[in-house]
Amino acid sequence: MLKQLYIKNFTLIDTLDIELHPGFSVITGETGAGKSIILGAIGLLLGQRADSKSIKQGADKCVIEAHFDLSRYGMEGFFEENDIEYDDSDTIIRRELLSSGKSRAFINDTPVALTMLKELGERLVDVHSQHQNLLLNKQDFQLSVVDVIAGDGRQLQDYQQAFKAYSDAKRQLEQLKEDIERNSQNTDFLQFQYNELTSANLTDGEQEELEQRSETMSHTEDIKSALYEADNAFSGDETGIVASLRTAVHALKGISRVFPTANELAERADSAYIELKDIAQEVSSSLENVDFDPAELDSVNSRLDRIYDLEKKYHTDNIAELLAIQEDLKQKLSNIENSDEALQEMTAQCEQLKADCQRQADLLTQTRTKAARHIEKDMQQLLVPLGMPNVRFAIQLEPTELNHSGQDKVQFLFSANTSTPLQPVSQVASGGEIARVMLSLKAMISGAVKLPTIIFDEIDTGVSGRVAEQMAKMMQEMGLADRQVISITHLPQIAALGTSHYKVTKTETSSGTSSTMTELTQQERITEIAQMLSGSNVTTAAIENAKQLLNV
């Protein structure tokens, strides 16, 4: 229940801080006084899009804050799931609009995303404005009414899961059929590509090895010349490094007895001699083994050319990528070969999921049909006291193809008198009749979903007198069941039945136009309702009539 509303610097409102009460309350005020501004502020609290132009001229930001008592509505789960502190007796939601265009939202002083604020707002307050009467034109709204009153939320969720599984399988089946058809048309080409790659006998790493061999053989003369020069330096008869080092070792060992330091030098030189001798032998061996073979070079280059041609043809950079394409081609050919089996398996799976979906849809239809008959009966009882003694209201369910909502097309049928056949409500009901139908539906829905607060914005459009009084009594009854009902009205018959009465006024000040809302005392209510009855010139008769309406 909405306990308190605080608005600061929003359009024409400087500061509004008002306490609200349970039960049935009414808000009155002249056209243009600012009632729609207050509704707009509440709309922002419920997550509607913000506009910095809504900030009162000259202010840096506006703040809209509401306090709720949720102790009777079991909403702990929402706060636990979203890791927000929960205070069932005083839940605070706040929206701030900055002149920079930014907007901030808070739940119990915790910053939240606007989507989360909207999710909570939808559970707290339902604002029914005149344009919502247009919803009666929409079949999805009519279906949602049936579902809400049927209480089939879990059943609908189970169906939607089954429908998603079926839809996914059907989409996969269609994709498989397309793949099979496309691949079947290209079987010969795919087989040619696969044969071409497999006949090449490619090996990962082969290209790098061949490129090195080609590079080596292409520089045979340079290699042999360098090796010959190195071999001569190491092993030449007169000037070879190995022979000279060996002589040095012998010389140092010869003086080691009389010059001890020479012994260590000899050992070090001997180690170098052994290493250089080994190197010299490898150089000599390499010199003997390096030989230019034109035929081998042609073979290596021919193999490389084939690899390069395949890489260019298949738009790859190395053999590893060619091997991946080869494996993919192998898989595609295997799928084509086994396509009939795969198609049969996928078709059977799709049919099974469709059957499961159909079973769930049938159960949903049964639940909706039962709820529709219940709604028809209750709507008849609700509408007759609202000035339609011969009203008929029926809900027509027609089968459709399976879709996200089930297999039912819902149509609300209406007739205000016995001589007119039942027709779609949006086509035959007048504005006043639609208002009464919507109020009756809201009364049923509110009982089904346990909404804490319902605000009716001029639900009384097109009605007056006795009918208005009956509509007020219906809203009054709605406000008795742990629910807060607020009606913005121009009709004295409705205003008089409110447990609490608020008035919105607009005044001109030196700083500009300002709107505010105040709770009326009993005497102020008499004056306000008398003005609603007779206009600004309040007569004694109007005062007496107002007292009668207020039962004082």
Side-chain angles (χ1 to χ4, degrees), residues 21 87 93 118 121 130 155 186 196 236 243 248 262 267 288-289 395 411 451 470 506:
H21 307 289
D87 184 346
I93 62 175
K118 186 174 183 179
Q130 292 184 55
Q155 196 175 11
N186 297 327
E196 183 179 43
E267 289 180 356
E288 292 177 0
N289 292 330
I395 299 178
Q411 183 79 264
L451 274 169
Q470 290 299 319
K506 182 171 66 174

Side-chain angles (χ1 to χ4, degrees), residues 204 314-326:
D204 195 13
Y314 290 95
H315 306 289
T316 60
D317 296 321
N318 51 60
I319 288 179
E321 293 178 4
L322 286 173
L323 290 172
I325 292 175
Q326 178 181 318

Side-chain angles (χ1 to χ4, degrees), residues 133-138 141-142 379 383 391-394 411-415 421-431 433-438 441:
N133 290 339
L134 299 176
L135 290 173
L136 277 177
N137 296 329
K138 301 182 180 296
F141 169 75
Q142 297 178 12
M379 285 293 286
L383 288 171
V391 68
R392 286 176 293 155
F393 185 89
Q411 183 79 264
F412 287 178
L413 304 178
F414 174 84
S415 174
L422 284 166
Q423 296 183 58
V425 63
S426 59
Q427 297 179 14
V428 297
S430 66
E433 290 168 342
I434 285 179
R436 282 172 274 179
V437 169
M438 286 299 291
L441 289 173

Side-chain angles (χ1 to χ4, degrees), residues 311-358:
E311 288 175 348
K312 181 178 180 181
K313 181 176 181 179
Y314 290 95
H315 306 289
T316 60
D317 296 321
N318 51 60
I319 288 179
E321 293 178 4
L322 286 173
L323 290 172
I325 292 175
Q326 178 181 318
E327 183 61 30
D328 182 61
L329 289 168
K330 179 181 179 181
Q331 186 62 48
K332 286 182 177 179
L333 289 168
S334 175
N335 290 343
I336 292 172
E337 184 178 349
N338 300 315
S339 59
D340 289 344
E341 181 180 344
L343 186 60
Q344 289 176 1
E345 182 178 344
M346 179 62 75
T347 301
Q349 180 183 359
C350 194
E351 288 299 323
Q352 179 60 44
L353 290 171
K354 182 180 180 180
D356 182 52
C357 187
Q358 184 65 60

Side-chain angles (χ1 to χ4, degrees), residues 219-272:
H219 295 82
T220 300
E221 292 303 321
D222 294 335
I223 295 170
K224 286 179 70 70
S225 177
L227 288 173
Y228 178 78
E229 185 177 347
D231 182 58
N232 190 51
F234 280 118
S235 306
D237 294 338
E238 298 293 334
T239 59
I241 297 171
V242 176
S244 297
L245 189 55
R246 183 179 182 186
T247 300
V249 171
H250 283 303
L252 289 170
K253 287 184 176 180
I255 63 172
S256 62
R257 186 176 61 83
V258 295
F259 185 63
T261 303
N263 189 52
E264 181 184 351
L265 294 172
E267 289 180 356
R268 291 169 62 189
D270 192 43
S271 295

